[in-house]
Every structure is written in C-alpha cells, then in structure tokens.
C-alpha cells in the first residue's frame, strides 16, 4: 500500500503541481462567488476540474487525485465552509477518479469527452452528498438539470485543459517525469 | 470533438432524460390535499378548513374585540381585512406551506397551516 502511494517527486514537478494547485484553488474560490445553479446549498459547477484534468494528462491518475484532494482541503481553509468542503471533496474525488479511468481506458475520446465524464461524476458526487446532508432522496430530481449544466462545463473544461496541455508541451513542461 | 465525445455526450443526455423522467412528479399529489387550515382564537381551535386548491371561500373570525376576514384561494390563505389597530396580520403575505402562520395579536387570532402527517416541510437547512 505504501509503495502504491509513493510517487517520484522532482523539484520541477513539485513546483508545477503547486502552481496548478494554486490555480485550481483560485478558480474554485471564484466559483463560490457565482450564484449556485440549483437550490442546493454548497453545490458547484466544477470549473476547477480543468486543473485536475491537466495534471492527469501531464503526470497521471495518482497526481490528479492527490491534487483534487489538496484542492478541496485548501479551499476549505480559505472559505471556511465545512458544508461546501464535503461537496467539493466528494465531487473532486469522483471527478478525478472518473477522469483518470476514462483517460486511460477510453482511448478514442479526446479531452472533451474525458471531462464530460468527469463533470457528470462531479455532479453525481455532489448530489449524493446533498441527499446525505439534507436527508432526502428527492434531491436526485435535480441531477438531470445538473447533468445538462455539466455538459456545458465539461466541454469548457475539456477545451481549456486541451489548450493548457498543448502550451505546456510547447514550452517543455509537459510529459516529463 | 470527435465521434467518441459525441457518443459520450449523447449517453449523458440520455441518462439526464431518464432521471428527469423517473423523478418527475405531477403537481397536486396527495401530500398537498392533506393540508388544512387551523383557525385558533385564544389558543383554542375554533375552525378547521381543508386547503384544497379548488376551494375559494371567505371566513369571518370573531376574535377578541373585532373581526378578521380570511380568504382561502388557490391553496393559499390570506388575511384580507381586520379591524385591529396594528394591521400586522393584513400585511402578512399569503401562506401556503405547512407550519406557516398569520397571527393577529390584538384579536388573539392565529391561522396556521397544518398537515395530517407529522412530517413538516422544511424549506432550507443551514449548517
């Protein structure tokens, strides 16, 4: 188990992961200022998946999931909201695992397809937390609306991650260990 | 976007439609018809009317030292007229959810929407 979580860390990688984490936290913080799309307290669109997807492509699933967990933890320290931590944590975990798996195994999909799956699972995770916190299964009726919104977010995130990866590769920051 | 992406998008749309279809509930289900209006004077219930959306009636309540006119329409209850000095009850917005109340303190009149089931409708939870 220990060996599984051990990953090779070079200074360059640490710095780039830290920078991407900062971007993810900033995007997540801006997102908390946007009005919520559905009347569920704490539910978010998941725009910061753009960073998680970038890390999954550049480094791999373990780094991506690690960044997702770090992102929601740091975001909780900034916003001070425990409720949105649960939403963010579950959403980010679901999204990062789903994106890692689909990036690995659905080879014909581009980053847009991968992020579509990611944002769907992000919304699914948030709905699970919402039904747990509000103690009502009826909250699942918002899922279809959230999924439709997630398609827009997913396409946006996929296009954004595509550009980031392209430019990082061009300046020689991508695809190294 | 390539063909696989479009395929994924179609699948998500299909799942969203399926969930929307499964969770769709027509309005006016049986929890709505079980609601009733409880009219109380001095803490005692003097009248009880069902809160049926089809109902349209006006009730005159004789409270302490005056009258209150209550109007029930489209499943909402409103205090339309009262000869009390402060008129707070008249300015209260129409009520429709279980647990909502209109209170006329000078006449000691309270109108409350209740339900036969003990479950209360909560409109928000704050942590």
């Amino acid at each position: 188990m220990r060996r599984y979580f051990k990953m090779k860390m070079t200074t360059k990688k640490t710095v780039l992961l830290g920078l991407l984490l900062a971007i993810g936290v900033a995007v997540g913080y801006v997102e908390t200022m946007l009005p919520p799309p559905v009347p569920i307290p704490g539910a978010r669109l998941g725009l910061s998946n753009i960073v998680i997807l970038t890390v999954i492509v550049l480094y791999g699933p373990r780094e991506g999931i690690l960044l997702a967990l770090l992102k929601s933890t740091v975001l909780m320290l900034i916003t001070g909201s425990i409720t949105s931590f649960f939403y963010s944590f579950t959403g980010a975990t679901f999204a990062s695992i789903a994106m890692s798996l689909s990036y690995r195994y659905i080879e014909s999909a581009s980053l847009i397809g991968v992020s579509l799956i990611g944002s769907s699972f992000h919304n699914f995770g948030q709905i699970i937390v919402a039904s747990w916190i509000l103690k009502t299964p009826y909250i699942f009726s918002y899922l279809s609306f959230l999924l439709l919104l997630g398609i827009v977010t997913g396409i946006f995130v996929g296009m954004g991650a595509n550009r980031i990866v392209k430019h990082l590769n061009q300046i020689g920051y991508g695809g190294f260990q | 976007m390539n063909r696989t992406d479009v395929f994924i998008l179609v699948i998500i749309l299909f799942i969203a439609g399926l969930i929307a279809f499964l969770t769709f509930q027509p309005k006016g289900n049986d929890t709505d018809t079980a609601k009733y209006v409880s009219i109380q004077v001095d803490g005692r219930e003097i009248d009880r009317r069902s809160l049926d959306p089809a109902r349209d009636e006006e009730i005159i309540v004789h409270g302490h030292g005056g009258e209150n006119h209550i109007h029930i329409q489209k499943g909402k209850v409103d205090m339309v007229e009262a000869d009390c000095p402060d008129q707070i009850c008249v300015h209260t917005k129409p009520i429709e959810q279980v647990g909502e109340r209109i209170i006329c303190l000078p006449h000691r009149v309270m109108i409350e929407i209740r339900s036969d089931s003990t479950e209360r409708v909560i409109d928000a939870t704050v942590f």
Side-chain angles (χ1 to χ4, degrees), chain A residues 45-47 49-54 56-57 95-96 98-100 102-103 106 109-123 147 149-162, chain B residues 1 5 8-9 12:
Chain A
L45 282 173
L47 287 174
N49 281 345
I50 195 165
V51 178
I52 297 169
L53 184 57
T54 308
I56 288 172
V57 174
S96 54
M99 285 194 294
S100 306
S102 50
Y103 181 69
I106 310 176
S110 75
L111 285 190
I112 294 175
V114 173
S115 83
L116 276 174
I117 293 174
S119 77
S120 303
F121 274 88
H122 180 89
N123 293 330
L147 282 178
L149 267 175
I151 288 176
V152 181
T153 329
I155 292 174
F156 179 76
V157 166
M159 277 160 43
N162 218 352
Chain B
M1 276 176 90
D5 298 342
I8 291 167
L9 201 146
I12 293 171

mmCIF file of all heavy atoms in Angstrom, chain A residues 45-47 49-54 56-57 95-96 98-100 102-103 106 109-123 147 149-162, chain B residues 1 5 8-9 12:
data_model
loop_
_atom_site.group_PDB
_atom_site.id
_atom_site.type_symbol
_atom_site.label_atom_id
_atom_site.label_comp_id
_atom_site.label_asym_id
_atom_site.label_seq_id
_atom_site.Cartn_x
_atom_site.Cartn_y
_atom_site.Cartn_z
ATOM 1 N N LEU A 45 -20.316 24.145 -9.861
ATOM 2 C CA LEU A 45 -20.236 23.671 -11.240
ATOM 3 C C LEU A 45 -19.051 22.729 -11.458
ATOM 4 O O LEU A 45 -19.157 21.785 -12.222
ATOM 5 C CB LEU A 45 -20.098 24.857 -12.182
ATOM 6 C CG LEU A 45 -21.371 25.635 -12.480
ATOM 7 C CD1 LEU A 45 -21.033 26.879 -13.280
ATOM 8 C CD2 LEU A 45 -22.329 24.782 -13.274
ATOM 9 N N GLY A 46 -17.927 23.008 -10.825
ATOM 10 C CA GLY A 46 -16.765 22.151 -11.009
ATOM 11 C C GLY A 46 -15.822 22.629 -12.097
ATOM 12 O O GLY A 46 -15.287 21.842 -12.861
ATOM 13 N N LEU A 47 -15.631 23.952 -12.170
ATOM 14 C CA LEU A 47 -14.734 24.502 -13.181
ATOM 15 C C LEU A 47 -13.273 24.171 -12.887
ATOM 16 O O LEU A 47 -12.446 24.119 -13.801
ATOM 17 C CB LEU A 47 -14.898 26.021 -13.262
ATOM 18 C CG LEU A 47 -16.185 26.515 -13.911
ATOM 19 C CD1 LEU A 47 -16.290 28.015 -13.788
ATOM 20 C CD2 LEU A 47 -16.216 26.121 -15.375
ATOM 21 N N ASN A 49 -12.029 21.499 -12.290
ATOM 22 C CA ASN A 49 -11.631 20.215 -12.881
ATOM 23 C C ASN A 49 -10.640 20.419 -14.008
ATOM 24 O O ASN A 49 -9.928 19.497 -14.398
ATOM 25 C CB ASN A 49 -12.864 19.502 -13.447
ATOM 26 C CG ASN A 49 -13.658 18.821 -12.376
ATOM 27 O OD1 ASN A 49 -13.171 18.636 -11.274
ATOM 28 N ND2 ASN A 49 -14.876 18.444 -12.695
ATOM 29 N N ILE A 50 -10.602 21.637 -14.544
ATOM 30 C CA ILE A 50 -9.675 21.965 -15.628
ATOM 31 C C ILE A 50 -8.233 21.679 -15.198
ATOM 32 O O ILE A 50 -7.431 21.123 -15.956
ATOM 33 C CB ILE A 50 -9.901 23.446 -16.035
ATOM 34 C CG1 ILE A 50 -9.252 23.764 -17.370
ATOM 35 C CG2 ILE A 50 -9.443 24.417 -14.989
ATOM 36 C CD1 ILE A 50 -9.758 25.079 -17.940
ATOM 37 N N VAL A 51 -7.926 22.018 -13.937
ATOM 38 C CA VAL A 51 -6.567 21.795 -13.428
ATOM 39 C C VAL A 51 -6.328 20.311 -13.181
ATOM 40 O O VAL A 51 -5.268 19.769 -13.510
ATOM 41 C CB VAL A 51 -6.351 22.609 -12.140
ATOM 42 C CG1 VAL A 51 -4.988 22.361 -11.575
ATOM 43 C CG2 VAL A 51 -6.555 24.077 -12.413
ATOM 44 N N ILE A 52 -7.343 19.664 -12.605
ATOM 45 C CA ILE A 52 -7.205 18.239 -12.300
ATOM 46 C C ILE A 52 -6.982 17.441 -13.588
ATOM 47 O O ILE A 52 -6.112 16.565 -13.651
ATOM 48 C CB ILE A 52 -8.456 17.748 -11.539
ATOM 49 C CG1 ILE A 52 -8.555 18.478 -10.197
ATOM 50 C CG2 ILE A 52 -8.407 16.255 -11.317
ATOM 51 C CD1 ILE A 52 -9.857 18.268 -9.496
ATOM 52 N N LEU A 53 -7.747 17.799 -14.612
ATOM 53 C CA LEU A 53 -7.603 17.097 -15.889
ATOM 54 C C LEU A 53 -6.212 17.336 -16.487
ATOM 55 O O LEU A 53 -5.576 16.411 -17.012
ATOM 56 C CB LEU A 53 -8.695 17.562 -16.859
ATOM 57 C CG LEU A 53 -8.739 16.866 -18.210
ATOM 58 C CD1 LEU A 53 -8.889 15.380 -18.039
ATOM 59 C CD2 LEU A 53 -9.878 17.406 -19.053
ATOM 60 N N THR A 54 -5.734 18.557 -16.377
ATOM 61 C CA THR A 54 -4.386 18.868 -16.876
ATOM 62 C C THR A 54 -3.344 18.000 -16.188
ATOM 63 O O THR A 54 -2.454 17.429 -16.839
ATOM 64 C CB THR A 54 -4.065 20.351 -16.627
ATOM 65 O OG1 THR A 54 -5.117 21.137 -17.156
ATOM 66 C CG2 THR A 54 -2.774 20.743 -17.286
ATOM 67 N N ILE A 56 -3.812 15.135 -14.674
ATOM 68 C CA ILE A 56 -3.972 13.725 -15.057
ATOM 69 C C ILE A 56 -3.277 13.468 -16.386
ATOM 70 O O ILE A 56 -2.594 12.457 -16.572
ATOM 71 C CB ILE A 56 -5.470 13.352 -15.121
ATOM 72 C CG1 ILE A 56 -6.050 13.273 -13.705
ATOM 73 C CG2 ILE A 56 -5.674 12.016 -15.828
ATOM 74 C CD1 ILE A 56 -7.543 13.111 -13.671
ATOM 75 N N VAL A 57 -3.427 14.391 -17.317
ATOM 76 C CA VAL A 57 -2.801 14.207 -18.628
ATOM 77 C C VAL A 57 -1.281 14.319 -18.525
ATOM 78 O O VAL A 57 -0.542 13.520 -19.093
ATOM 79 C CB VAL A 57 -3.366 15.243 -19.622
ATOM 80 C CG1 VAL A 57 -2.626 15.173 -20.937
ATOM 81 C CG2 VAL A 57 -4.839 14.996 -19.851
ATOM 82 N N ALA A 95 -14.809 13.024 -9.645
ATOM 83 C CA ALA A 95 -14.417 13.510 -10.969
ATOM 84 C C ALA A 95 -13.017 13.044 -11.328
ATOM 85 O O ALA A 95 -12.770 12.587 -12.448
ATOM 86 C CB ALA A 95 -14.497 15.029 -11.005
ATOM 87 N N SER A 96 -12.083 13.117 -10.360
ATOM 88 C CA SER A 96 -10.707 12.773 -10.701
ATOM 89 C C SER A 96 -10.559 11.280 -10.970
ATOM 90 O O SER A 96 -9.836 10.879 -11.889
ATOM 91 C CB SER A 96 -9.755 13.220 -9.594
ATOM 92 O OG SER A 96 -10.163 12.708 -8.358
ATOM 93 N N ALA A 98 -12.984 9.284 -12.074
ATOM 94 C CA ALA A 98 -13.667 9.002 -13.340
ATOM 95 C C ALA A 98 -12.830 9.469 -14.525
ATOM 96 O O ALA A 98 -12.716 8.757 -15.533
ATOM 97 C CB ALA A 98 -15.027 9.697 -13.356
ATOM 98 N N MET A 99 -12.189 10.639 -14.384
ATOM 99 C CA MET A 99 -11.388 11.159 -15.496
ATOM 100 C C MET A 99 -10.133 10.337 -15.694
ATOM 101 O O MET A 99 -9.726 10.084 -16.830
ATOM 102 C CB MET A 99 -11.041 12.629 -15.257
ATOM 103 C CG MET A 99 -12.227 13.544 -15.488
ATOM 104 S SD MET A 99 -11.805 15.288 -15.612
ATOM 105 C CE MET A 99 -11.227 15.639 -13.977
ATOM 106 N N SER A 100 -9.518 9.878 -14.566
ATOM 107 C CA SER A 100 -8.325 9.039 -14.701
ATOM 108 C C SER A 100 -8.649 7.763 -15.452
ATOM 109 O O SER A 100 -7.936 7.375 -16.387
ATOM 110 C CB SER A 100 -7.778 8.672 -13.320
ATOM 111 O OG SER A 100 -7.556 9.810 -12.558
ATOM 112 N N SER A 102 -11.275 7.094 -17.421
ATOM 113 C CA SER A 102 -11.704 7.256 -18.807
ATOM 114 C C SER A 102 -10.553 7.739 -19.689
ATOM 115 O O SER A 102 -10.491 7.395 -20.871
ATOM 116 C CB SER A 102 -12.894 8.209 -18.904
ATOM 117 O OG SER A 102 -12.637 9.389 -18.211
ATOM 118 N N TYR A 103 -9.614 8.488 -19.122
ATOM 119 C CA TYR A 103 -8.458 8.910 -19.926
ATOM 120 C C TYR A 103 -7.580 7.708 -20.260
ATOM 121 O O TYR A 103 -7.018 7.617 -21.340
ATOM 122 C CB TYR A 103 -7.647 9.954 -19.163
ATOM 123 C CG TYR A 103 -6.458 10.460 -19.927
ATOM 124 C CD1 TYR A 103 -6.644 11.248 -21.067
ATOM 125 C CD2 TYR A 103 -5.166 10.157 -19.530
ATOM 126 C CE1 TYR A 103 -5.565 11.707 -21.785
ATOM 127 C CE2 TYR A 103 -4.075 10.616 -20.243
ATOM 128 C CZ TYR A 103 -4.282 11.388 -21.375
ATOM 129 O OH TYR A 103 -3.224 11.849 -22.086
ATOM 130 N N ILE A 106 -10.602 4.814 -22.248
ATOM 131 C CA ILE A 106 -11.329 5.198 -23.466
ATOM 132 C C ILE A 106 -10.356 5.983 -24.324
ATOM 133 O O ILE A 106 -10.243 7.201 -24.239
ATOM 134 C CB ILE A 106 -12.597 6.020 -23.135
ATOM 135 C CG1 ILE A 106 -13.428 5.304 -22.069
ATOM 136 C CG2 ILE A 106 -13.452 6.215 -24.378
ATOM 137 C CD1 ILE A 106 -14.626 6.082 -21.608
ATOM 138 N N ALA A 109 -11.449 8.776 -27.015
ATOM 139 C CA ALA A 109 -12.054 10.037 -26.587
ATOM 140 C C ALA A 109 -10.993 11.122 -26.473
ATOM 141 O O ALA A 109 -9.871 10.871 -26.054
ATOM 142 C CB ALA A 109 -12.756 9.853 -25.253
ATOM 143 N N SER A 110 -11.367 12.339 -26.864
ATOM 144 C CA SER A 110 -10.454 13.466 -26.660
ATOM 145 C C SER A 110 -10.652 13.990 -25.238
ATOM 146 O O SER A 110 -11.432 13.448 -24.461
ATOM 147 C CB SER A 110 -10.734 14.563 -27.680
ATOM 148 O OG SER A 110 -11.895 15.252 -27.342
ATOM 149 N N LEU A 111 -9.945 15.036 -24.894
ATOM 150 C CA LEU A 111 -10.046 15.570 -23.531
ATOM 151 C C LEU A 111 -11.457 16.082 -23.234
ATOM 152 O O LEU A 111 -11.884 16.099 -22.084
ATOM 153 C CB LEU A 111 -9.039 16.699 -23.328
ATOM 154 C CG LEU A 111 -7.581 16.281 -23.150
ATOM 155 C CD1 LEU A 111 -6.747 17.453 -22.711
ATOM 156 C CD2 LEU A 111 -7.465 15.154 -22.150
ATOM 157 N N ILE A 112 -12.181 16.490 -24.293
ATOM 158 C CA ILE A 112 -13.554 16.966 -24.077
ATOM 159 C C ILE A 112 -14.439 15.819 -23.577
ATOM 160 O O ILE A 112 -15.186 15.964 -22.615
ATOM 161 C CB ILE A 112 -14.117 17.576 -25.379
ATOM 162 C CG1 ILE A 112 -13.326 18.828 -25.729
ATOM 163 C CG2 ILE A 112 -15.588 17.907 -25.230
ATOM 164 C CD1 ILE A 112 -13.702 19.453 -27.037
ATOM 165 N N GLY A 113 -14.302 14.663 -24.217
ATOM 166 C CA GLY A 113 -15.080 13.510 -23.774
ATOM 167 C C GLY A 113 -14.727 13.098 -22.360
ATOM 168 O O GLY A 113 -15.598 12.793 -21.545
ATOM 169 N N VAL A 114 -13.427 13.108 -22.047
ATOM 170 C CA VAL A 114 -12.970 12.738 -20.706
ATOM 171 C C VAL A 114 -13.555 13.707 -19.678
ATOM 172 O O VAL A 114 -14.071 13.303 -18.628
ATOM 173 C CB VAL A 114 -11.427 12.733 -20.649
ATOM 174 C CG1 VAL A 114 -10.955 12.527 -19.226
ATOM 175 C CG2 VAL A 114 -10.867 11.642 -21.537
ATOM 176 N N SER A 115 -13.516 15.008 -19.982
ATOM 177 C CA SER A 115 -14.013 15.971 -18.997
ATOM 178 C C SER A 115 -15.531 15.950 -18.920
ATOM 179 O O SER A 115 -16.100 16.300 -17.881
ATOM 180 C CB SER A 115 -13.515 17.370 -19.317
ATOM 181 O OG SER A 115 -14.316 17.975 -20.284
ATOM 182 N N LEU A 116 -16.214 15.530 -19.993
ATOM 183 C CA LEU A 116 -17.673 15.356 -19.911
ATOM 184 C C LEU A 116 -18.007 14.287 -18.872
ATOM 185 O O LEU A 116 -18.886 14.468 -18.031
ATOM 186 C CB LEU A 116 -18.240 14.938 -21.271
ATOM 187 C CG LEU A 116 -18.549 16.051 -22.267
ATOM 188 C CD1 LEU A 116 -18.958 15.456 -23.599
ATOM 189 C CD2 LEU A 116 -19.653 16.935 -21.740
ATOM 190 N N ILE A 117 -17.282 13.157 -18.945
ATOM 191 C CA ILE A 117 -17.492 12.100 -17.951
ATOM 192 C C ILE A 117 -17.154 12.620 -16.558
ATOM 193 O O ILE A 117 -17.877 12.403 -15.588
ATOM 194 C CB ILE A 117 -16.629 10.867 -18.305
ATOM 195 C CG1 ILE A 117 -17.141 10.246 -19.602
ATOM 196 C CG2 ILE A 117 -16.661 9.846 -17.180
ATOM 197 C CD1 ILE A 117 -16.295 9.125 -20.119
ATOM 198 N N GLY A 118 -16.037 13.366 -16.473
ATOM 199 C CA GLY A 118 -15.614 13.908 -15.180
ATOM 200 C C GLY A 118 -16.653 14.808 -14.564
ATOM 201 O O GLY A 118 -16.977 14.673 -13.383
ATOM 202 N N SER A 119 -17.206 15.729 -15.354
ATOM 203 C CA SER A 119 -18.161 16.678 -14.760
ATOM 204 C C SER A 119 -19.473 15.988 -14.415
ATOM 205 O O SER A 119 -20.142 16.373 -13.448
ATOM 206 C CB SER A 119 -18.397 17.858 -15.689
ATOM 207 O OG SER A 119 -19.241 17.523 -16.738
ATOM 208 N N SER A 120 -19.834 14.942 -15.168
ATOM 209 C CA SER A 120 -21.034 14.191 -14.796
ATOM 210 C C SER A 120 -20.849 13.539 -13.431
ATOM 211 O O SER A 120 -21.740 13.589 -12.577
ATOM 212 C CB SER A 120 -21.334 13.111 -15.831
ATOM 213 O OG SER A 120 -21.484 13.677 -17.095
ATOM 214 N N PHE A 121 -19.679 12.931 -13.230
ATOM 215 C CA PHE A 121 -19.440 12.282 -11.945
ATOM 216 C C PHE A 121 -19.273 13.295 -10.819
ATOM 217 O O PHE A 121 -19.629 13.024 -9.674
ATOM 218 C CB PHE A 121 -18.208 11.362 -12.036
ATOM 219 C CG PHE A 121 -18.554 9.995 -12.531
ATOM 220 C CD1 PHE A 121 -18.580 9.716 -13.885
ATOM 221 C CD2 PHE A 121 -18.891 9.002 -11.641
ATOM 222 C CE1 PHE A 121 -18.928 8.468 -14.347
ATOM 223 C CE2 PHE A 121 -19.234 7.739 -12.090
ATOM 224 C CZ PHE A 121 -19.258 7.478 -13.451
ATOM 225 N N HIS A 122 -18.747 14.466 -11.161
ATOM 226 C CA HIS A 122 -18.649 15.556 -10.175
ATOM 227 C C HIS A 122 -20.051 15.900 -9.650
ATOM 228 O O HIS A 122 -20.277 15.959 -8.445
ATOM 229 C CB HIS A 122 -18.024 16.770 -10.863
ATOM 230 C CG HIS A 122 -17.858 17.960 -9.985
ATOM 231 N ND1 HIS A 122 -16.734 18.176 -9.234
ATOM 232 C CD2 HIS A 122 -18.679 18.998 -9.738
ATOM 233 C CE1 HIS A 122 -16.870 19.289 -8.563
ATOM 234 N NE2 HIS A 122 -18.047 19.820 -8.850
ATOM 235 N N ASN A 123 -21.000 16.072 -10.575
ATOM 236 C CA ASN A 123 -22.371 16.402 -10.178
ATOM 237 C C ASN A 123 -23.021 15.254 -9.422
ATOM 238 O O ASN A 123 -23.752 15.468 -8.457
ATOM 239 C CB ASN A 123 -23.209 16.740 -11.417
ATOM 240 C CG ASN A 123 -22.736 18.009 -12.068
ATOM 241 O OD1 ASN A 123 -22.224 18.897 -11.401
ATOM 242 N ND2 ASN A 123 -22.888 18.091 -13.368
ATOM 243 N N LEU A 147 -26.804 17.607 -14.711
ATOM 244 C CA LEU A 147 -26.078 16.914 -15.783
ATOM 245 C C LEU A 147 -26.060 17.765 -17.051
ATOM 246 O O LEU A 147 -25.045 17.845 -17.741
ATOM 247 C CB LEU A 147 -26.716 15.554 -16.056
ATOM 248 C CG LEU A 147 -26.403 14.431 -15.077
ATOM 249 C CD1 LEU A 147 -27.160 13.180 -15.468
ATOM 250 C CD2 LEU A 147 -24.921 14.142 -15.029
ATOM 251 N N LEU A 149 -26.233 21.037 -17.193
ATOM 252 C CA LEU A 149 -25.258 22.104 -16.944
ATOM 253 C C LEU A 149 -23.839 21.566 -17.035
ATOM 254 O O LEU A 149 -22.933 22.234 -17.532
ATOM 255 C CB LEU A 149 -25.474 22.689 -15.550
ATOM 256 C CG LEU A 149 -26.378 23.900 -15.429
ATOM 257 C CD1 LEU A 149 -26.553 24.252 -13.974
ATOM 258 C CD2 LEU A 149 -25.795 25.079 -16.181
ATOM 259 N N GLY A 150 -23.673 20.322 -16.548
ATOM 260 C CA GLY A 150 -22.356 19.702 -16.544
ATOM 261 C C GLY A 150 -21.821 19.475 -17.946
ATOM 262 O O GLY A 150 -20.610 19.440 -18.151
ATOM 263 N N ILE A 151 -22.709 19.309 -18.927
ATOM 264 C CA ILE A 151 -22.254 19.148 -20.313
ATOM 265 C C ILE A 151 -21.567 20.427 -20.775
ATOM 266 O O ILE A 151 -20.480 20.401 -21.350
ATOM 267 C CB ILE A 151 -23.456 18.791 -21.220
ATOM 268 C CG1 ILE A 151 -23.899 17.362 -20.936
ATOM 269 C CG2 ILE A 151 -23.084 18.945 -22.687
ATOM 270 C CD1 ILE A 151 -25.130 16.951 -21.698
ATOM 271 N N VAL A 152 -22.193 21.580 -20.461
ATOM 272 C CA VAL A 152 -21.593 22.867 -20.833
ATOM 273 C C VAL A 152 -20.244 23.029 -20.136
ATOM 274 O O VAL A 152 -19.225 23.349 -20.765
ATOM 275 C CB VAL A 152 -22.551 24.013 -20.457
ATOM 276 C CG1 VAL A 152 -21.954 25.345 -20.867
ATOM 277 C CG2 VAL A 152 -23.898 23.814 -21.101
ATOM 278 N N THR A 153 -20.232 22.774 -18.813
ATOM 279 C CA THR A 153 -18.982 22.892 -18.057
ATOM 280 C C THR A 153 -17.942 21.918 -18.586
ATOM 281 O O THR A 153 -16.767 22.266 -18.714
ATOM 282 C CB THR A 153 -19.214 22.588 -16.566
ATOM 283 O OG1 THR A 153 -20.519 22.977 -16.215
ATOM 284 C CG2 THR A 153 -18.217 23.285 -15.704
ATOM 285 N N GLY A 154 -18.386 20.692 -18.888
ATOM 286 C CA GLY A 154 -17.462 19.658 -19.338
ATOM 287 C C GLY A 154 -16.779 20.031 -20.641
ATOM 288 O O GLY A 154 -15.562 19.853 -20.787
ATOM 289 N N ILE A 155 -17.546 20.555 -21.594
ATOM 290 C CA ILE A 155 -16.951 20.966 -22.875
ATOM 291 C C ILE A 155 -15.964 22.101 -22.642
ATOM 292 O O ILE A 155 -14.843 22.105 -23.167
ATOM 293 C CB ILE A 155 -18.064 21.384 -23.859
ATOM 294 C CG1 ILE A 155 -18.896 20.157 -24.254
ATOM 295 C CG2 ILE A 155 -17.476 22.036 -25.099
ATOM 296 C CD1 ILE A 155 -20.093 20.478 -25.101
ATOM 297 N N PHE A 156 -16.361 23.040 -21.800
ATOM 298 C CA PHE A 156 -15.487 24.178 -21.493
ATOM 299 C C PHE A 156 -14.189 23.710 -20.840
ATOM 300 O O PHE A 156 -13.090 24.113 -21.244
ATOM 301 C CB PHE A 156 -16.248 25.127 -20.558
ATOM 302 C CG PHE A 156 -15.465 26.320 -20.141
ATOM 303 C CD1 PHE A 156 -15.261 27.371 -21.017
ATOM 304 C CD2 PHE A 156 -14.943 26.397 -18.867
ATOM 305 C CE1 PHE A 156 -14.540 28.472 -20.631
ATOM 306 C CE2 PHE A 156 -14.219 27.502 -18.473
ATOM 307 C CZ PHE A 156 -14.012 28.536 -19.367
ATOM 308 N N VAL A 157 -14.326 22.811 -19.848
ATOM 309 C CA VAL A 157 -13.140 22.297 -19.137
ATOM 310 C C VAL A 157 -12.235 21.523 -20.094
ATOM 311 O O VAL A 157 -11.009 21.676 -20.082
ATOM 312 C CB VAL A 157 -13.586 21.420 -17.943
ATOM 313 C CG1 VAL A 157 -12.434 20.597 -17.407
ATOM 314 C CG2 VAL A 157 -14.156 22.284 -16.846
ATOM 315 N N GLY A 158 -12.849 20.706 -20.959
ATOM 316 C CA GLY A 158 -12.063 19.910 -21.898
ATOM 317 C C GLY A 158 -11.270 20.779 -22.848
ATOM 318 O O GLY A 158 -10.077 20.543 -23.096
ATOM 319 N N MET A 159 -11.918 21.827 -23.389
ATOM 320 C CA MET A 159 -11.229 22.725 -24.303
ATOM 321 C C MET A 159 -10.109 23.470 -23.587
ATOM 322 O O MET A 159 -9.004 23.634 -24.132
ATOM 323 C CB MET A 159 -12.230 23.716 -24.913
ATOM 324 C CG MET A 159 -12.964 23.131 -26.100
ATOM 325 S SD MET A 159 -14.517 23.937 -26.528
ATOM 326 C CE MET A 159 -14.135 25.635 -26.397
ATOM 327 N N GLY A 160 -10.399 23.905 -22.351
ATOM 328 C CA GLY A 160 -9.384 24.626 -21.580
ATOM 329 C C GLY A 160 -8.175 23.756 -21.292
ATOM 330 O O GLY A 160 -7.027 24.162 -21.513
ATOM 331 N N ALA A 161 -8.432 22.513 -20.827
ATOM 332 C CA ALA A 161 -7.332 21.599 -20.492
ATOM 333 C C ALA A 161 -6.520 21.268 -21.737
ATOM 334 O O ALA A 161 -5.288 21.169 -21.682
ATOM 335 C CB ALA A 161 -7.892 20.330 -19.857
ATOM 336 N N ASN A 162 -7.208 21.121 -22.856
ATOM 337 C CA ASN A 162 -6.534 20.850 -24.126
ATOM 338 C C ASN A 162 -5.510 21.920 -24.442
ATOM 339 O O ASN A 162 -4.361 21.640 -24.802
ATOM 340 C CB ASN A 162 -7.603 20.819 -25.227
ATOM 341 C CG ASN A 162 -7.312 19.759 -26.250
ATOM 342 O OD1 ASN A 162 -6.248 19.151 -26.215
ATOM 343 N ND2 ASN A 162 -8.236 19.553 -27.152
ATOM 344 N N MET B 1 -13.945 18.119 -30.942
ATOM 345 C CA MET B 1 -14.785 16.981 -30.517
ATOM 346 C C MET B 1 -14.814 15.920 -31.600
ATOM 347 O O MET B 1 -15.102 16.224 -32.754
ATOM 348 C CB MET B 1 -16.217 17.457 -30.254
ATOM 349 C CG MET B 1 -16.398 18.019 -28.863
ATOM 350 S SD MET B 1 -18.042 18.654 -28.626
ATOM 351 C CE MET B 1 -18.892 17.229 -28.022
ATOM 352 N N ASP B 5 -16.537 11.544 -28.333
ATOM 353 C CA ASP B 5 -17.036 12.597 -27.451
ATOM 354 C C ASP B 5 -18.537 12.800 -27.630
ATOM 355 O O ASP B 5 -19.284 12.939 -26.658
ATOM 356 C CB ASP B 5 -16.308 13.913 -27.740
ATOM 357 C CG ASP B 5 -14.833 13.799 -27.472
ATOM 358 O OD1 ASP B 5 -14.447 12.856 -26.765
ATOM 359 O OD2 ASP B 5 -14.085 14.643 -27.975
ATOM 360 N N ILE B 8 -20.346 10.022 -25.967
ATOM 361 C CA ILE B 8 -20.409 10.233 -24.510
ATOM 362 C C ILE B 8 -21.478 11.260 -24.174
ATOM 363 O O ILE B 8 -22.284 11.084 -23.257
ATOM 364 C CB ILE B 8 -19.023 10.675 -23.979
ATOM 365 C CG1 ILE B 8 -18.022 9.522 -24.071
ATOM 366 C CG2 ILE B 8 -19.117 11.149 -22.537
ATOM 367 C CD1 ILE B 8 -16.592 9.944 -23.868
ATOM 368 N N LEU B 9 -21.509 12.351 -24.969
ATOM 369 C CA LEU B 9 -22.487 13.418 -24.732
ATOM 370 C C LEU B 9 -23.910 12.895 -24.858
ATOM 371 O O LEU B 9 -24.772 13.201 -24.019
ATOM 372 C CB LEU B 9 -22.243 14.533 -25.745
ATOM 373 C CG LEU B 9 -22.776 15.923 -25.424
ATOM 374 C CD1 LEU B 9 -21.838 16.953 -25.974
ATOM 375 C CD2 LEU B 9 -24.154 16.139 -26.003
ATOM 376 N N ILE B 12 -24.806 10.867 -21.817
ATOM 377 C CA ILE B 12 -25.116 11.714 -20.657
ATOM 378 C C ILE B 12 -26.505 12.339 -20.811
ATOM 379 O O ILE B 12 -27.298 12.371 -19.862
ATOM 380 C CB ILE B 12 -24.032 12.801 -20.478
ATOM 381 C CG1 ILE B 12 -22.701 12.155 -20.093
ATOM 382 C CG2 ILE B 12 -24.430 13.790 -19.405
ATOM 383 C CD1 ILE B 12 -21.541 13.109 -20.115
#
